């Protein structure tokens, strides 16, 4: 198993209202759909995380397919911007 760590909440006023998974499995897609308590659309980005982790500009989904060499804990920071 690959431990993705616990994402830090965004530093802006946008707050996450969903709980992210805390681990991934090597060679399997890790998916997290961040949600905010804000009304309207929120754009999300991976501010810090393991190589290959990204956010979809369209949906905001956070995806990553960890490799065998990426096992262990990772610090992840997801930033949200509403409006």
């Amino acid at each position: 198993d690959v431990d993705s760590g616990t994402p830090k909440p965004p530093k802006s006023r946008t707050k996450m209202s969903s709980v992210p998974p805390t681990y991934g499995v090597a060679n399997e897609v890790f998916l997290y759909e961040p949600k905010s308590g804000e009304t309207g659309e929120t754009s999300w980005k991976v501010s810090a995380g393991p190589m290959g982790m990204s956010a979809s500009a369209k949906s905001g989904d956070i995806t990553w397919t960890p490799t065998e060499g990426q096992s262990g804990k990772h610090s992840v920071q997801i930033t949200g911007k509403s409006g």
Side-chain angles (χ1 to χ4, degrees):
D1 290 352
V2 176
D3 185 346
S4 66
T6 302
K8 297 177 184 175
K11 292 182 180 180
S12 68
R13 291 185 177 182
T14 302
K15 299 205 190 275
M16 295 172 79
S17 64
S18 55
V19 178
T22 58
Y23 69 93
V25 177
N27 302 313
E28 292 186 19
V29 176
F30 170 95
L31 173 64
Y32 172 51
E33 301 173 39
K35 306 281 187 239
S36 78
E38 305 286 322
T39 57
E41 292 193 22
T42 301
S43 59
W44 300 96
K45 73 176 188 173
V46 177
S47 303
M51 182 182 283
M53 182 176 276
S54 62
S56 167
K58 185 175 181 180
S59 68
D61 291 351
I62 308 298
T63 58
W64 177 45
T65 304
T67 64
E68 293 286 337
Q70 290 177 305
S71 63
K73 292 186 177 189
H74 297 277
S75 294
V76 175
Q77 183 173 4
I78 300 169
T79 305
K81 182 178 179 183
S82 58

